[in-house]
Amino acid sequence: MTKGTFATAWKGMGLWKWPAITMLVIWAGLVPFLGPVPPTWQNHGTQTDDNITLTLETRGRMRAGHSIDLRLTANANADREIFVGFEGEPNEVSALTLNGQELQTRVDLSVPDNGPLTITVRMVTDEGRERVFRWHLGIPQPL
Amino acid sequence: MRKKRLWFDVHSWVGLKLSILMSFILITGTLAVFSNELDWAFNSEMRVASQAKGTPIAWGAMYDSAVEAFPDGRLTAIMLGPDPWFAAQGVAQGPDGQLHRLWFNPYTGAYQGATGWLSIQRFLRSTHRHLMMPNAIGIPIVCAFSFLLIASMVTGLVVYKKFWRGFFRKPRFDQPVRTWTGDLHRLGALWSAWFLVLIALSGIWYLAEKSLGGAAPRVEEPPTTIEREGVLPAGFTGADLQKAANMAMEAYPSLDLKVVLLPRRPTANLTFGGQADAILVRPTANTVWVDPATLNVTGIQRGETLTAHQRLSELADPLHFGTWGGIVTKIIWFLFGVLLSGLSVTGIIIYGKRIARGGPGAASANDAAPLTA
């Protein structure tokens, strides 16, 4: 197949090719918004204990051995040190303090091999009580 | 001879001038045949170990898993996958209004993870169906190509003298590119003619259905007996859903349950759909409605009792998508999709080669001869 073959065909399409090209350009422009792999957050729900409210979202696949991007959003009463990790994985627990302004924080956690996966968020209240929030996330993915 | 050239000119015009969009639609449609399988390959949440046919489906356990994993979401449907190695899919709307796909082992009910609403399947569907444009614009554009496909086939058969002799004519690969691409083009066209007619006719139906007001009337759901405050009764659990599924299967013994639609309003039923005695219908053509408050069957819709108009509407998807015979028909549809896409591409090559050889005008002047070869 020579370059000339397609150049000839391209020329032969005349003006008719331009509406088609325009439509494909529109399609290509829409792909980032309607494409198959959007960088969206998965909302796993909000949990409330007494007057503390926490919402957990994750982004990306839960592949065993890979890290997962977590986002926690809390109400004002949860502005304190918290510990996030996968249940049964004490080594993976990380400690942080929620940002007092936005009450939102992001954590990278390494996904363990064994499932089902449960994210736990522990916090110690001013009264010294420990509160634990749990979210079930399914099983880790092998790939 | 002049008449034949006119037929050829039409064939050439359709095949060349509109070839970019035609090829794009054909290729994306071909890929869309296996779009669910592509998602399955890329998302391990969607995979489960196959079980023997007839293994009970844990509808109730899947519901409980969904509520546990997605406490703030509203589950709207649970659907089995197209094959036994697919996880079951739950569709849930999050508090942010976004749709999510939840994946479950259909045999144990275990939650396997979530993926976003957008997927390879959605991407290919939106691309092939309406070029990602608004439906009102994109669907008529794509469906209009059905007429062009038919025109292309009819004109091609008219100019191909004694075409019925060509089914077993071997392409002459020892000849120049122009010759063997022409041979391949004609051979592929003959063998894929039935497929082209099927795809084009279903495409014309979609145009009538979606853009010209020809949609079949929907089957009315019977009313529930007790009005509820929420979309589901308070305290509704997976055990209730399993009971309702058992009631549905008891009421319609030949129903092979594939999908459960949960109510979207307080007066709606649980809808159980699947395949039964009617052939070439979507799962929702065979339906049992169950009141979620009393768990009594409120109505049954059998696919074979639908009107001709409704059956036509049901027929289009299984035939256009190639899903009616499972993985076997999907493979056949994919291969013929490749063949149709190949016709579009070889048509461009033939045109380019002939013009390049004969200069302007060669396509019309010289093409009748090779077609009779």
Side-chain angles (χ1 to χ4, degrees), chain B residues 91-115:
Chain B
V91 178
Q93 191 168 27
D96 51 1
Q98 279 194 23
L99 290 174
H100 302 267
R101 296 176 200 268
L102 316 179
W103 301 98
F104 308 98
N105 184 318
Y107 312 109
T108 64
Y111 175 59
Q112 303 201 153
T115 56

Side-chain angles (χ1 to χ4, degrees), chain A residues 4 6 9 13 22 39 47 51 55-56 59 61-63 85 95 98 103-105 114-116 121-122 124 127 133 135:
Chain A
F6 289 104
M13 288 171 202
T22 306
Q47 298 206 15
N51 54 358
T55 301
L56 176 75
R59 186 159 62 175
R61 303 253 173 274
M62 274 168 280
R63 310 256 186 245
L98 286 167
L103 292 171
Q104 195 172 75
T105 188
N114 301 316
V121 176
R122 289 190 302 116
V124 180
E127 303 86 47
F133 299 80
W135 285 267

